């Protein structure tokens, strides 16, 4: 432990405690009565008006975890606090002098009058609460010169304190003849910095006898006997308000604790301060549990249990109110109307006769709104004195008592929400009513949400039908808590579904790499309903949406993102083919509106909570030691990683309180390695600032410390340097007025959505610079290029809007008015067809499908005036033996238009031959770029004016590919090739594919199949296993990666410089294992994924226990001879380790049982040295091993010491890179890019498949249906192969 560890008598505080401070507000015998309204006669009180006058409440007592202050009859610190035990607390509260025990009733009269009629200012309260008694201070009364200051002792701002007394009694304080019922209400207080504090107030009354003495002074005594009064005495019940203030909205929990405290006070009124000390100190020393499966339980006074439940998500506030009250108070239409008003950032006022309902309902609405956060004025309870704020300009949410309705109705433009009546009304204004129309929530998402509303209303009643009656009060309380939490989960899921349904389309139009959002395309995706479009048009202007959009720009993975990803597969099923997955043309018109669907049919799964019971709070030092010991015991026996994270967090909190900073930070480092989402950044900052130089030096030896501190520094620097670029959210992009280097050029080309392909961007830069190998492009050329691009964009959009096209068909080019065989009109080139558009008509007529073009011929035809350049299109017509021809008199546009048609035609032919749909998209982008290159090159000042033809040809890569015959595949290749995928789409440069993994999905959990692709840059890209579409999300491993391994149904482990664990459901990495310290080259799962073996290049093999993510065994192979571990396999109960020179067989304990040498006869190979690249172990004990730099494969017999069996298999290749077995055949990837299929029994070559243009680096099987291969960076594509000899009608994956 650190030498800073607390001494036994030192006060402690808890980071993120359940409550920061307790405050008691009211009037008592020390304050006497303080009138709210001063009169000419001063503060003279007429006892006849005792029950009708208003009084000014005072802060009587305030205490935090370390300090307790009493403010009347004079401010003084309670030197006996903290006292935990009730008997000790009672002793402390009665250990003052007799005069103090008698509440100073026998003071000098003038002094007493002065003390009783002065209020304590908020500044005095916070100052006095911040004082600390110096070490060694005694228990006698001290004057203020003996105190030192520490702000840690009172963690609530002065602004919060300033408003407490007002909000405790919003309608001023009155005295009562008879005792009214106690009641609770809740506050949300916001300080100047925008930080929120949450307060739970419980008002209860205490009986006092009020009378005047002979000098006319009013004094009071606590009435504990309730005996008959004498003349001149008045019995009254004076309200007191107990308040817990917290950084967390635990409204119901703190209400229960306050209720219990008040019940104790009612039984023993004289011991009120003792109960306050005991209970409040326990609450302020109780940590809030982190998100996860662990709840915290505390016991108060006579072992009364209270449970503090964890939040559902780390980035989501805890919900500790009954959300269903909202659905009982309002009809569906009214709830949706209020939500619409919130989205429109209106001025909203809630009204109710219950102050408790005001905060509960307004908080419920804000919880429904998540992840959209209200960042404007928010005062859920307005006091009588503050009603004038309702007329303030700007956006706000406020609440006030229903009796003020007549005042509220007079204020123009307010959205008045009457909770008692369940109505929503917009106050009229002197301006036109149209300005106050609030667009409704779009119909489809609203319809799905109504199911949630219905269920929330009848949930309890339907459950009560089958639930047996419980006659135990404590058990019934627990049952009700559980039911409310379960119903809250249902409501939360339903409301989150509403938010996802409303804004699912935002994800498609966000470009995080350029911090841009295509607002126009998003609006077009919302369908044709004018009311829906109006809603989105208005929402997109609002600050809440901009904040939400900022999170999407930062690729924040929050609960909204996770839910959107989980439901994305259902959207695809609900609208197969309608969702725009990729975009050929930036001008493409979305043809369907975004889909809304409801998946909330059953109760969401709720994992049973583990209850951690904190020890009885009898002594600060013993309390911390006991909690730490108990948590350490649980941590040692717990194998569930989620529970372990919660225990580590709580341990760090308690150790920080104990000033054991090094140990606390060590626990946090362990926590971060398991689940980064729960990483407590604020606590780490606090701890790090308190560490000594020596402690920091020692911690640098702890694995993970440096990376955590570095990430915090980077985040801090990023926040400091962040400047919001508002223009990126708009449709206008400012073209730079300086010459553009390549990287800047790449950025703006991407921003204009011209292309994402790195090779195309490079070719475009070369074309625009006139093929001169320049390092900069002059800005005037780029401006002209962008202008031409925009002109064509607008023209294409106009055609698409006014005319009917096929699904997903994009217009690329429209010719000038010309003569054709169909008459006078225009020729329209799309990514699928050539069309004829008659002049002055909106109808389109098909000329030819691109796939049916046989050839293009440039000709000159004679007209009655001159010779005209024309284009003849020879096309295949079904039913005709001869090719049909179609002639277009394009004149000056002929060469230009012919080049565009050739590129698009070549792309279509190659796409269909190679089953690569990305080729069509890339060809379409090439057509747009070539057209823009030619038109911008007409400007004499452009840098490519003199070389415009060469520049255009340079971009036509598919014309050249067709000339090379890339569409001419062998019969074997055509038969086996099913589809090509491009995981490098949108990457800044094309990279090699190093690992592939297919996960089949899970029907029970609705988990769809996925294809995982690991790139050399460390990215893991994911394809949907049904539609084979590239998901937008990816996981970034460290620097590079080597392998992907499925561990059960829910995890994928990535081998890199550390092991990155990805959740298959959300495509999100939350856990990192850094135990290897070197590059991890292979990972294998065994025993039904109960255990996992991982191996690194330095010969370290770790056996992991998957459930707890703990190291079960560690093996360190002797690599002193210079060997490097290359691969790892598990077969026959042994581990087989591949090195350059052969294969090592080891047992589970790490003992090397055999070393099989890769000895190929020199006559069989043409390279030296001979090294092994890969191997595969058969069930019969044979090992197929491939040569690194030669196309030779040998079969080794493990039963005969690794002796080579028979003749080597010779393949025409530069080397064998990878092998995978499927049934009785071995699929072999080579470094020449050729795939070979070899019969295992006969060792005969069955097929050679040529479709990759670089070495085959990765292979995997998709069940028994497909073999999937990935190539090096020159190709960078994935190919899906059919393993059957002939195409199957049911097994084919057809592009068409």
């Amino acid at each position: 432990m650190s030498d800073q560890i607390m001494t036994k008598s030192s006060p402690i505080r808890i980071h993120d405690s359940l409550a920061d401070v307790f405050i008691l507000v009211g009037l008592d015998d020390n304050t006497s009565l303080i009138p709210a309204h001063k009169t000419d006669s001063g503060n003279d009180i007429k006892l006849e008006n005792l029950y009708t006058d208003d009084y000014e409440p005072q802060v009587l007592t305030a205490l935090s975890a370390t300090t307790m202050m009493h403010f009347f009859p004079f401010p003084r610190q309670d030197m006996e606090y903290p006292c935990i035990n009730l008997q000790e607390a009672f002793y402390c509260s009665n250990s003052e002098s007799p005069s103090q025990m008698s509440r100073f009733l026998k003071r000098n009269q003038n002094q007493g009058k002065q003390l009783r009629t002065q209020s304590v200012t908020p500044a005095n309260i916070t100052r006095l609460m911040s004082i600390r008694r110096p070490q060694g201070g005694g228990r006698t009364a001290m004057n203020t010169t003996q105190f030192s200051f520490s702000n840690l002792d009172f963690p609530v701002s002065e602004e919060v304190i300033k408003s407490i007394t007002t909000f405790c009694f919003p309608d001023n304080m009155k005295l009562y003849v008879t005792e009214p019922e106690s009641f609770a209400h809740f506050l949300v207080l916001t300080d100047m910095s925008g930080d929120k504090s949450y307060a739970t107030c419980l008002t209860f009354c205490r009986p006092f006898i009020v009378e005047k003495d002979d000098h006319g002074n009013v004094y009071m005594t606590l009435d504990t006997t309730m005996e008959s009064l004498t003349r001149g005495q008045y019995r009254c019940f004076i309200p007191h308000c107990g308040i817990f203030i917290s950084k967390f909205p635990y409204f119901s929990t703190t209400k229960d604790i306050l209720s219990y405290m008040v019940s104790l006070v009612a039984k023993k009124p004289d011991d009120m301060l003792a109960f306050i000390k005991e209970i409040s100190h326990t609450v302020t020393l109780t940590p809030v549990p982190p998100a996860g499966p662990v709840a915290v339980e505390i016991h108060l006074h006579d072992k009364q249990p209270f449970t503090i439940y964890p939040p559902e998500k780390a980035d989501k506030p805890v919900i500790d109110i009954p959300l269903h009250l909202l659905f009982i108070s309002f009809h569906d239409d009214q709830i949706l109307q209020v939500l619409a008003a919130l989205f429109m950032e209106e001025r909203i006022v809630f009204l109710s006769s219950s102050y408790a309902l005001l905060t509960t309902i307004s908080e419920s609405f804000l919880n429904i709104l998540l992840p959209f956060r209200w960042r404007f004025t928010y005062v859920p309870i307005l006091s009588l004195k503050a009603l004038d704020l309702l007329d303030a300009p700007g956006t706000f949410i406020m609440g006030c008592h229903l009796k003020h309705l007549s005042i509220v109705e007079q204020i123009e433009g307010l959205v008045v929400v009457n909770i008692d009546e369940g109505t929503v009304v917009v106050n009229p204004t002197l301006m036109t009513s149209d300005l106050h129309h609030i667009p409704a929530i779009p119909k489809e998402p609203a319809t799905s949400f109504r199911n949630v509303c219905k269920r929330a209303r009848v949930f309890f009643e339907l459950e009560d039908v089958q639930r047996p009656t419980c006659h135990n009060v404590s058990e019934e309380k627990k049952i009700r808590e559980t039911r409310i939490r379960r119903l809250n989960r249902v409501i939360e899921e339903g409301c989150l579904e509403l938010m996802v349904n409303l804004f699912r389309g935002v994800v498609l139009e966000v470009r995080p790499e350029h911090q841009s959002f295509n607002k126009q395309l998003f609006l077009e995706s919302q369908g044709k309903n004018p009311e829906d479009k109006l809603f989105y048009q208005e929402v997109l202007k609002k600050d809440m949406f901009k904040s939400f959009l900022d999170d999407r720009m930062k690729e924040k993975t929050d609960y909204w993102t996770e839910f959107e990803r989980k439901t994305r597969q259902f959207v695809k099923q609900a609208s197969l083919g309608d969702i725009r997955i990729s975009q050929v043309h930036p001008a493409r018109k979305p043809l369907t509106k975004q889909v809304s669907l409801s998946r909330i049919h059953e109760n969401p799964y709720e994992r049973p909570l583990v209850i951690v019971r904190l020890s009885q709070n009898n002594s600060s030092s013993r309390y911390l030691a006991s909690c730490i010991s108990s948590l350490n015991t649980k941590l040692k026996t717990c194998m569930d990683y989620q529970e372990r994270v919660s225990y580590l967090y709580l341990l760090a909190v308690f150790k920080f309180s104990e000033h054991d900073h090094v140990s606390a930070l060590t626990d946090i480092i362990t926590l971060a390695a398991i689940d980064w989402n729960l990483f407590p950044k604020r606590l780490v900052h606090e701890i790090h600032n308190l560490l000594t130089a020596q402690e920091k030096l020692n911690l640098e030896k702890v694995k993970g410390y440096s990376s955590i501190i570095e990430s915090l520094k980077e985040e801090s620097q990023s926040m400091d340097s962040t400047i919001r670029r508002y223009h990126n959210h708009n449709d206008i992009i400012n073209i730079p007025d300086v010459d553009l280097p390549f990287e800047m050029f790449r950025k703006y080309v991407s921003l204009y959505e011209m292309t994402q392909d790195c090779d195309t961007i490079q070719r475009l830069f070369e074309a625009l610079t006139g093929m001169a190998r320049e390092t900069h492009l002059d800005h005037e050329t780029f401006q002209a290029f962008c202008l031409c691009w925009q002109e064509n964009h607008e023209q294409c959009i106009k055609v698409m809007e006014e005319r009917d096209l096929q699904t997903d068909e994009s217009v690329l080019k429209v010719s000038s008015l010309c003569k054709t065989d169909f008459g006078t009109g225009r020729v329209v080139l799309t990514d699928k067809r050539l069309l004829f558009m008659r002049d002055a008509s909106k109808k389109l007529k098909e000329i030819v499908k691109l796939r049916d073009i046989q050839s293009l011929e440039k000709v000159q035809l004679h007209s009655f005036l001159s010779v005209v350049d024309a284009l003849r299109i020879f096309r295949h017509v079904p039913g005709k033996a001869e090719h049909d021809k179609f002639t277009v008199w394009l004149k000056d546009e002929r060469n230009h238009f012919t080049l565009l048609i050739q590129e698009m035609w070549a792309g279509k032919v190659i796409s269909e031959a190679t089953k690569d749909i990305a080729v069509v998209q890339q060809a379409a982008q090439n057509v747009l770029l070539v057209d823009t290159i030619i038109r911008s090159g007409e400007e004499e000042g452009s840098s490519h004016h003199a070389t415009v033809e060469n520049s255009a040809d340079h971009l036509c890569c598919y014309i050249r590919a067709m000339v090379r015959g890339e569409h001419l595949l062998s019969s074997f290749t055509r038969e086996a090739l099913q589809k090509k995928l491009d995981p490098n789409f949108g990457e800044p440069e094309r990279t090699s594919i190093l690992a592939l993994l297919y996960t089949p999905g899970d029907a029970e959990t609705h988990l769809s199949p996925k294809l995982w692709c690991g790139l050399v840059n460390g990215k893991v890209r994911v394809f949907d296993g049904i539609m084979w579409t590239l998901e937008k999300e990816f996981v970034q491993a460290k620097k590079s990666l080597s392998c992907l391994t499925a561990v059960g149904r829910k995890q994928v482990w990535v081998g890199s410089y550390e092991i990155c664990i990805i959740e298959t459901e959300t495509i999100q990495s939350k856990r990192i294992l850094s135990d290897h310290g070197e590059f991890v080259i292979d990972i294998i799962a065994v025993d039904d994924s109960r255990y996992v073996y991982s191996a690194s290049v330095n010969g370290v093999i770790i056996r992991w226990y998957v459930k707890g993510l703990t190291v079960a065994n560690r093996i360190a192979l002797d690599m002193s001879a210079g060997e490097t571990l290359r691969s790892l396999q598990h077969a026959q109960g042994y581990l087989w380790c591949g090195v350059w020179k052969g294969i090592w067989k080891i047992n589970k304990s790490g003992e090397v049982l055999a070393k099989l040498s890769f000895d190929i006869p020199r006559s069989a190979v043409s390279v030296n040295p001979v090294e092994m690249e890969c191997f595969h172990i058969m069930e019969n004990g044979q090992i197929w091993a491939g040569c690194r730099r030669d196309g030779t494969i040998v079969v080794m017999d493990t039963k005969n010491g690794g002796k080579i069996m028979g003749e080597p298999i010779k393949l025409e290749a530069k080397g064998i890179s990878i092998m995978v077995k499927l049934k009785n055949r071995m699929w072999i990837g080579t470094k020449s890019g050729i795939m070979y299929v070899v019969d295992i029994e006969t060792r005969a070559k069955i097929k050679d498949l040529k479709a990759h243009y670089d070495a085959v680096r990765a292979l995997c099987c998709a069940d028994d249906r497909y073999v999937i291969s990935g190539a090096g960076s020159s190709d960078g594509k994935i190919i899906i192969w059919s393993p059957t000899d002939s195409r199957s009608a049911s097994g084919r994956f057809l592009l068409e």
Side-chain angles (χ1 to χ4, degrees), residues 265-318:
V265 172
K267 295 176 183 177
K268 296 183 178 180
D270 288 331
D271 293 339
M272 181 179 72
L273 285 181
F275 291 126
I276 288 175
K277 284 182 181 182
E278 178 195 7
I279 293 175
S280 299
H281 190 252
T282 301
V283 171
T284 54
L285 288 183
T286 300
V288 169
V294 175
V296 169
E297 184 177 277
I298 57 174
H299 293 262
L300 301 179
H301 188 50
D302 52 358
K303 298 185 179 181
Q304 180 69 28
F306 293 90
T307 305
I308 300 93
Y309 295 101
E312 182 186 353
K313 300 284 184 181
D315 57 348
K316 192 174 183 180
V318 67

Side-chain angles (χ1 to χ4, degrees), residues 13-20 155 245-248 250 283-290 296 308 649-650 653-654 656-657 678-684 686:
R13 69 181 184 92
I14 293 289
H15 175 82
D16 285 349
S17 58
L18 177 59
D20 294 318
I245 302 177
S246 173
K247 293 189 289 288
F248 306 96
Y250 279 97
V283 171
T284 54
L285 288 183
T286 300
V288 169
V296 169
I308 300 93
Y649 173 87
L650 293 172
V653 168
F654 283 122
F656 173 66
S657 299
L678 293 181
F679 180 65
K681 297 177 184 177
R682 192 161 53 88
L683 178 58
V684 171
E686 282 191 56

